[in-house]
Amino acid sequence: MTTILDVHKLTRNFGGLAAVTDVEMHLERGELIGLIGPNGAGKTTVFNLLTGVYPPSSGTIGFTPDTKEIQLGGKKPYMISHAGMARTFQNIRLFKELTVLDNVVFAMEQREKYSLLSSFFHLPSWGKSKQKVRERSLELLRMMNLETKAEELARNLSYGDQRHLEIARALATDPKLLLLDEPAAGMNPAETAQLTELIEFIRKTYNLTILLIEHDMSLVMKICERIYVLDHGIVIASGTPDEVRNNPKVIEAYLGEEVEDV
């Protein structure tokens, strides 16, 4: 395997407050990695740094979607998305007044290259490309069991279906690295079990590397190959699920009595 993400001494300060400090993290191509820790540990801040929402105060983020490494520090979110990184959000962010299908089409079209001439005059090449986008979008909805709801408004979907739609929209950008921010939040056990299977399926189907923030330890311990643990913005442990669940620092800072149940 080759490294797809190499984070070195990543730090972000807000005024006099250090949100994350000297974070070291690397992901090999094809891995499914967990990022866990108590509320306020800095997990979402790490995602925001990786995706360009915040620039780092210091440190480097090396991203290798293909063969050439790209330094992401200071790049805009749209540039990072075009490079091959996509994410979902802890608080679902959909275009609620658009249809389910249009949410995916809109995301997919951001990677399409239309000539000004073909789009302005609606030439056959433009029409073929639009049709291709629609068909590929429907395929994603079919995989998420949302095809029959393609023409419904996104705001009318159930909470679980909105989560699935957000993942479909992220996949529509054709990422090499997918960041999932608490995808199981608010789900019942049956929905979480279904989501677990879905994550494993899309990883294999799309040959993705996945970085996952999640508080549901049964999900994390089941599907993650390695786990990083943040506490107060610092990585206090990393390793396999067994190594992490038995780490005294992790038990004290986060897992506590839960370790007996995961």
Side-chain angles (χ1 to χ4, degrees):
M1 289 194 295
T2 58
T3 299
I4 189 171
L5 185 71
D6 189 14
V7 176
H8 181 60
K9 290 189 175 299
L10 186 63
T11 298
R12 173 67 191 192
N13 300 318
F14 294 98
L17 175 66
V20 295
T21 304
D22 290 341
V23 168
E24 300 277 341
M25 182 184 302
H26 75 274
L27 275 66
E28 299 298 315
R29 199 174 304 279
E31 283 191 305
L32 203 168
I33 303 299
L35 180 60
I36 67 172
N39 289 327
K43 303 182 298 298
T44 296
T45 299
V46 170
F47 268 30
N48 286 337
L49 290 166
L50 296 179
T51 55
V53 176
Y54 304 140
S57 298
S58 61
T60 60
I61 305 167
F63 179 48
T64 311
D66 296 307
T67 57
K68 184 178 180 181
E69 184 181 73
I70 304 166
Q71 286 297 322
L72 299 185
K75 292 192 180 297
K76 301 295 185 183
Y78 77 89
M79 300 169 69
I80 294 173
S81 175
H82 286 174
M85 188 184 298
R87 71 173 293 181
T88 64
F89 292 86
Q90 182 177 347
N91 299 313
I92 298 173
R93 299 185 185 182
L94 298 172
F95 297 112
K96 298 291 185 71
E97 300 305 318
L98 293 183
T99 67
V100 170
L101 176 60
D102 283 343
N103 266 269
V104 180
V105 166
F106 182 82
M108 193 172 291
E109 284 186 333
Q110 305 311 301
R111 297 191 64 87
E112 292 296 307
K113 296 181 179 179
Y114 304 117
S115 72
L116 180 61
L117 186 66
S118 67
S119 61
F120 185 80
F121 290 103
H122 289 193
L123 298 179
S125 60
W126 176 84
K128 289 180 181 178
S129 183
K130 295 284 283 187
Q131 181 61 30
K132 182 180 178 182
V133 165
R134 179 182 174 85
E135 291 172 356
R136 286 165 55 203
S137 297
L138 285 170
E139 286 177 8
L140 280 174
L141 292 181
R142 190 175 304 118
M143 184 180 68
M144 299 289 175
N145 293 319
L146 292 174
E147 186 183 20
T148 59
K149 301 175 182 179
E151 300 304 327
E152 292 185 23
L153 294 181
R155 62 178 169 83
N156 293 333
L157 293 180
S158 68
Y159 181 84
D161 281 346
Q162 288 189 26
R163 283 284 181 195
H164 289 174
L165 177 57
E166 191 178 37
I167 294 173
R169 193 176 63 175
L171 292 174
T173 65
D174 193 25
K176 300 296 186 297
L177 173 59
L178 178 62
L179 312 182
L180 300 176
D181 193 347
E182 296 195 32
M187 290 188 174
N188 62 42
E191 290 171 330
T192 299
Q194 184 183 38
L195 176 69
T196 302
E197 294 178 0
L198 177 63
I199 292 172
E200 293 179 318
F201 175 76
I202 63 176
R203 174 198 178 193
K204 294 175 182 177
T205 302
Y206 291 92
N207 194 27
L208 284 172
T209 307
I210 297 177
L211 180 60
L212 168 76
I213 292 176
E214 186 52 65
H215 284 291
D216 188 318
M217 287 300 99
S218 62
L219 187 157
V220 171
M221 296 295 176
K222 180 177 181 180
I223 66 174
C224 291
E225 295 158 310
R226 292 189 296 114
I227 300 169
Y228 288 91
V229 187
L230 274 181
D231 186 33
H232 293 93
I234 299 170
V235 175
I236 61 170
S238 64
T240 65
D242 281 342
E243 290 170 340
V244 165
R245 66 155 55 95
N246 293 308
N247 187 302
K249 289 183 179 179
V250 179
I251 295 171
E252 180 182 358
Y254 182 48
L255 293 182
E257 297 301 321
E258 293 180 17
V259 73
E260 299 178 1
D261 301 321
V262 297

